[in-house]
Amino acid sequence: GAGVSQSPRYKVAKRGQDVALRCDPISGHVSLFWYQQALGQGPEFLTYFQNEAQLDKSGLPSDRFFAERPEGSVSTLKIQRTQQEDSAVYLCASSFWQGSTEAFFGQGTRLTVV
Amino acid sequence: RKEVEQDPGPFNVPEGATVAFNCTYSNSASQSFFWYRQDCRKEPKLLMSVYSSGNEDGRFTAQLNRASQYISLLIRDSKLSDSATYLCVVSLGGSQGNLIFGKGTKLSVKP
């Protein structure tokens, strides 16, 4: 498809387990964003990339969170030693370039840590 | 103080009503402004960009007041299908172009 694709759609992890969430942006989109959305809240910024460069990771809540986009297309958000408070929907978005154009979101990965 | 603040809602209105959402942002350097719509358990989707001169798209009108750091969205003749959460979004642009979202305002349009 032509949209942003995220996998898996749902992930249940035991506390302490490492997880990896994948995002396939729209082809040709330079900017890629990761957001965390808790129930009843707006999306909270985690990090973003321009091509393969991670320009801002100020939103990553701890050093257990790590994101990469090594070839400037697919991105992976990794969470190490998951904790219950990590339970949320993780949204990926891409845009042709940053800031002033429309960002297209994937359907998200719903992570539940038990 | 959150960078982007919105009316908490929920707004429960009858079909055909006019409803207005307000939003304020804290960073005066913000350059780009948007309203996104998010349906229940779905991803956010762009509803409209917001320009300094104000802009209209059918039943939807968005306005920006840079001096007051205030953004609004007006929905006229509301439809059942307008029921969703409306997210106010700002961006600093340039190398700080990440989108900052408000918490969203939930709208429920009743028959």
Side-chain angles (χ1 to χ4, degrees), chain A residues 48-68:
Chain A
Y48 91 95
F49 294 83
Q50 183 178 353
N51 295 308
E52 69 278 3
Q54 190 174 19
L55 295 189
D56 188 343
K57 54 182 180 179
S58 62
L60 296 175
S62 77
D63 58 8
R64 297 186 295 104
F65 287 70
F66 172 77
E68 59 182 5

Side-chain angles (χ1 to χ4, degrees), chain A residues 33-109:
Chain A
F33 307 84
W34 283 100
Y35 288 85
Q36 180 190 61
Q37 187 171 26
L39 190 65
Q41 302 293 314
E44 294 281 349
F45 170 74
L46 293 176
T47 185
Y48 91 95
F49 294 83
Q50 183 178 353
N51 295 308
E52 69 278 3
Q54 190 174 19
L55 295 189
D56 188 343
K57 54 182 180 179
S58 62
L60 296 175
S62 77
D63 58 8
R64 297 186 295 104
F65 287 70
F66 172 77
E68 59 182 5
R69 194 186 185 195
E71 297 178 357
S73 55
V74 171
S75 178
T76 304
L77 176 67
K78 298 179 179 178
I79 309 173
Q80 297 176 323
R81 304 181 304 281
T82 52
Q83 300 178 6
Q84 284 193 314
E85 60 262 32
D86 300 335
S87 296
V89 175
Y90 290 84
L91 293 163
C92 175
S94 70
S95 68
F96 184 68
W97 68 284
Q98 66 211 15
S100 47
T101 61
E102 179 177 1
F104 295 85
F105 282 81
Q107 290 184 300
T109 294

Side-chain angles (χ1 to χ4, degrees), chain A residues 33 35 37 40-45 48 55-56 91 98-103 105-107 110, chain B residues 2 32 34 36 38 41-44 46 87 91 93-103:
Chain A
F33 307 84
Y35 288 85
Q37 187 171 26
Q41 302 293 314
E44 294 281 349
F45 170 74
Y48 91 95
L55 295 189
D56 188 343
L91 293 163
Q98 66 211 15
S100 47
T101 61
E102 179 177 1
F105 282 81
Q107 290 184 300
R110 184 175 297 275
Chain B
K2 277 201 65 88
S32 302
F34 312 90
Y36 274 70
Q38 187 171 26
R41 292 183 173 267
K42 299 288 188 181
E43 71 275 20
L46 179 68
L87 299 159
S91 171
S95 61
Q96 296 177 290
N98 52 296
L99 303 174
I100 306 297
F101 284 77
K103 284 189 175 182

Side-chain angles (χ1 to χ4, degrees), chain B residues 73-94:
Chain B
L73 176 68
L74 186 75
I75 305 175
R76 292 181 299 279
D77 187 24
S78 51
K79 312 290 185 191
L80 296 177
S81 57
D82 294 335
S83 298
T85 296
Y86 291 82
L87 299 159
C88 177
V89 185
V90 305
S91 171
L92 292 175

Side-chain angles (χ1 to χ4, degrees), chain B residues 18-85:
Chain B
T18 295
V19 60
F21 301 138
N22 303 315
C23 169
T24 57
Y25 59 95
S26 61
N27 193 328
S28 59
S30 299
Q31 295 188 15
S32 302
F33 309 89
F34 312 90
W35 284 100
Y36 274 70
R37 169 189 170 135
Q38 187 171 26
D39 292 287
C40 187
R41 292 183 173 267
K42 299 288 188 181
E43 71 275 20
K45 293 184 178 178
L46 179 68
L47 177 66
M48 59 197 302
S49 300
V50 187
Y51 303 114
S52 296
S53 55
N55 49 298
E56 187 173 308
D57 182 3
R59 297 182 293 109
F60 299 83
T61 301
Q63 292 193 314
L64 168 65
N65 184 322
R66 285 185 182 269
S68 302
Q69 295 179 202
Y70 170 91
I71 306 162
S72 66
L73 176 68
L74 186 75
I75 305 175
R76 292 181 299 279
D77 187 24
S78 51
K79 312 290 185 191
L80 296 177
S81 57
D82 294 335
S83 298
T85 296

